[in-house]
Amino acid sequence: MTTHLDETHRLDLVSWVESAQAADTDFPIQNLPLGCFRTSGEAARPGVAIGTAILDLGAVGRASLLSAELVALVTQCGAERSLNPLLAAGDAVLLELRRQVSLLLRADSSEGTRARSRRGELLVPRAESELLVPARIGDYTDFYASIHHATNVGSMFRPDNALLPNYKYVPIGYHGRASSIVASGGTVRRPQGQTRDDPSAPPAFGPTRRLDYELEVGAFVGRGNALGSAIPLGEAEGHIAGLCLVNDWSARDIQAWEYQPLGPFLAKNFATTVSPWIVSLAALAPFRVPALVREAGDPAPLPYLSDAANERTGGIAITLEVSLSSTRMRSEGHPPMRVSLGTFGTMYWTMAQLVTHHASNGCNLQPGDLIASGTVSGAAPESRGCLLERTWRGTEPLQLSTGETRRFLEDGDEVIMRGWCEREGFRRIGFGECRGVVAPAR
Ligand code: MN
């Protein structure tokens, strides 16, 4: 488990980047997430979020402010325009990068003094940058690890059989589509598809009328595993480079008609939005919590999905929020309205269990692969992570601040997801935003 605390987590660290000191920043010096960005006319390159700026790792490398091994990796990331070379280098190298970047950004280190004197070439304002999908994602897998989500959705689709008998034994997932993963801030086109609202009539083809978001946490795979080899639970977190937020856009009417017997297909693969920053498990170390304690009567996980360390610290206390803003809300000056607030600590399966299960048959995970948790829903109605649950299939519409109502997403709606971690004695860190606007069907 990646629960080790070191110098980089210290509450009293101060950065010479003034905006990193703001109490509400997602990116204090204790966070240091990796991303890929572009400024006008320049190629994509790797960077680290700090306050309202980005530390340009390419420029840091050219200034020889990192070790030779890290400069080589950062240069390779620039050439490939993705973080994959760094992710592939593995957790020890990523930890060393974190250590060196922390020193570079500190106000009280000699490394920091040198970096500060070159701030003009090393720092780029985030507001002037385009943030990209941080890795070249070869494969994308989506799980279903919230028992509240599984129970709620199951009870709508199968009233007599809400939670299927496999759920408490096997982490349920499906293979998603990597090609349609898009960066935060873009538009998502309302998909067309087959739906069949009236069981006595044939299906129709047209724009979905039940477009939804799904609030999820994603893990970027770092070091991979060879085809045919498994990943023991105790080693699983060593294969996770870090986490991001994921919006697994879903068309519920298409899903309901197509999902049996093989699971989601066109209802899900038209777009998936990811937040731009990969928050490392090292940065998340102060926020580890026990894995969800199973209810009396639930089966224990099978031995390959169970160990004491996972039970003790397999969970991560990330607070997760979804806000919604309609075209009319924006034009009338209303702020986005919070529609969900929950925590990642309530998942039935931990990220380590998902990784271990995924590779348990010898399936090879590769650097840059994205493994998403599934919709994060808690027990309380306010913590349900999609509109299908939040409005109970549209029967309990949400009231927006303009008086408009929402059962599912309308054209022009913007969905904004945020995630952050707080704990007494540590600096609050955040994930930044995962945003997307619904564009009308073509
Ligand atoms: Mn999903």
Side-chain angles (χ1 to χ4, degrees):
M1 294 286 139
T2 315
T3 54
H4 176 71
L5 297 178
D6 60 28
E7 183 83 2
T8 63
H9 299 98
R10 268 175 40 196
L11 177 63
D12 62 352
L13 287 191
V14 173
S15 174
W16 52 264
V17 181
E18 295 82 4
S19 58
Q21 257 60 259
D24 61 347
T25 182
D26 278 348
F27 309 116
I29 191 172
Q30 291 83 354
N31 192 348
L32 306 179
L34 289 167
C36 248
F37 72 102
R38 183 162 58 198
T39 44
S40 64
E42 292 201 57
R45 53 199 193 276
V48 174
I50 180 76
T52 59
I54 299 171
L55 180 71
D56 182 339
L57 286 179
V60 171
R62 285 191 297 280
S64 297
L65 293 170
L66 292 170
S67 64
E69 182 194 14
L70 290 174
V71 170
L73 285 168
V74 160
T75 307
Q76 215 184 327
C77 288
E80 293 190 18
R81 295 170 190 193
S82 79
L83 290 174
N84 291 54
L86 268 171
L87 303 184
D91 51 338
V93 171
L94 290 172
L95 199 61
E96 179 56 21
L97 176 64
R98 172 179 170 84
R99 194 189 68 80
Q100 292 187 27
V101 168
S102 176
L103 279 173
L104 278 179
L105 291 170
R106 276 171 70 159
D108 63 350
S109 65
S110 56
E111 294 89 341
T113 306
R114 274 198 291 154
R116 183 179 206 162
S117 70
R118 308 176 75 152
R119 67 183 297 161
E121 63 189 279
L122 302 185
L123 289 188
V124 178
R126 211 166 61 239
E128 292 169 19
S129 307
E130 182 192 355
L131 298 169
L132 309 167
V133 176
R136 202 176 55 252
I137 300 170
D139 278 296
Y140 161 45
T141 301
D142 194 21
F143 279 95
Y144 198 52
S146 160
I147 195 168
H148 301 290
H149 174 69
T151 305
N152 285 339
V153 172
S155 70
M156 287 179 236
F157 283 68
R158 296 176 305 274
D160 306 329
N161 200 7
L163 199 66
L164 294 171
N166 57 5
Y167 190 84
K168 292 175 180 178
Y169 289 98
V170 57
I172 302 296
Y174 68 96
H175 283 116
R177 179 106 192 145
S179 66
S180 52
I181 296 175
V182 298
S184 175
T187 59
V188 165
R189 179 78 54 189
R190 178 180 298 274
Q192 311 226 36
Q194 272 199 34
T195 58
R196 190 191 194 189
D197 291 349
D198 176 358
S200 65
F205 184 87
T208 175
R209 282 172 294 160
R210 295 188 170 185
L211 183 61
D212 202 353
Y213 59 79
E214 288 192 338
L215 167 67
E216 308 199 9
V217 172
F220 278 99
V221 172
R223 198 159 28 91
N225 62 301
L227 180 60
S229 73
I231 298 177
L233 187 60
E235 294 171 22
E237 290 196 354
H239 292 266
I240 299 175
L243 307 185
C244 68
L245 306 177
V246 175
N247 183 348
D248 178 27
W249 302 91
S250 300
R252 300 304 185 188
D253 41 4
I254 298 173
Q255 184 181 356
W257 171 233
E258 76 170 8
Y259 89 106
Q260 297 201 77
L262 288 186
F265 181 39
L266 301 182
K268 300 262 189 185
N269 71 4
F270 58 94
T272 306
T273 305
V274 292
S275 62
W277 299 107
I278 303 180
V279 177
S280 67
L281 290 190
L284 293 164
F287 311 103
R288 301 307 297 257
V289 292
L292 186 79
V293 177
R294 293 187 165 206
E295 281 181 31
D298 277 10
L302 294 182
Y304 78 103
L305 291 176
S306 174
D307 70 22
N310 183 66
E311 277 174 34
R312 206 166 51 238
T313 56
I316 312 176
I318 307 170
T319 303
L320 296 165
E321 178 197 71
V322 183
S323 302
L324 191 65
S325 145
S326 68
T327 305
R328 198 173 131 201
M329 285 168 70
R330 291 193 296 280
S331 71
E332 292 181 10
H334 293 256
M337 191 180 98
R338 176 189 282 175
V339 291
S340 171
L341 185 69
T343 170
F344 192 54
T346 59
M347 302 302 273
Y348 200 76
W349 300 102
T350 65
M351 274 296 186
Q353 286 172 319
L354 300 183
V355 165
T356 291
H357 180 66
H358 202 318
S360 62
N361 65 345
C363 173
N364 50 331
L365 306 181
Q366 298 188 286
D369 284 359
L370 182 66
I371 295 176
S373 62
T375 306
V376 182
S377 292
E382 305 75 47
S383 66
R384 295 173 182 158
C386 63
L387 285 177
L388 178 69
E389 291 171 85
R390 201 67 188 79
T391 70
W392 209 256
R393 213 176 192 171
T395 58
E396 301 167 16
L398 291 175
Q399 184 98 27
L400 304 182
S401 53
T402 46
E404 298 168 280
T405 56
R406 282 295 177 278
R407 294 175 163 82
F408 292 94
L409 295 170
E410 302 285 337
D411 292 345
D413 284 358
E414 182 169 35
V415 178
I416 307 152
M417 297 176 173
R418 289 194 186 85
W420 63 90
C421 303
E422 290 173 298
R423 184 182 152 198
E424 185 77 34
F426 291 90
R427 227 10 237 285
R428 172 197 181 279
I429 64 170
F431 283 74
E433 293 178 340
C434 181
R435 273 180 187 262
V437 179
V438 178
R442 234 178 218 122

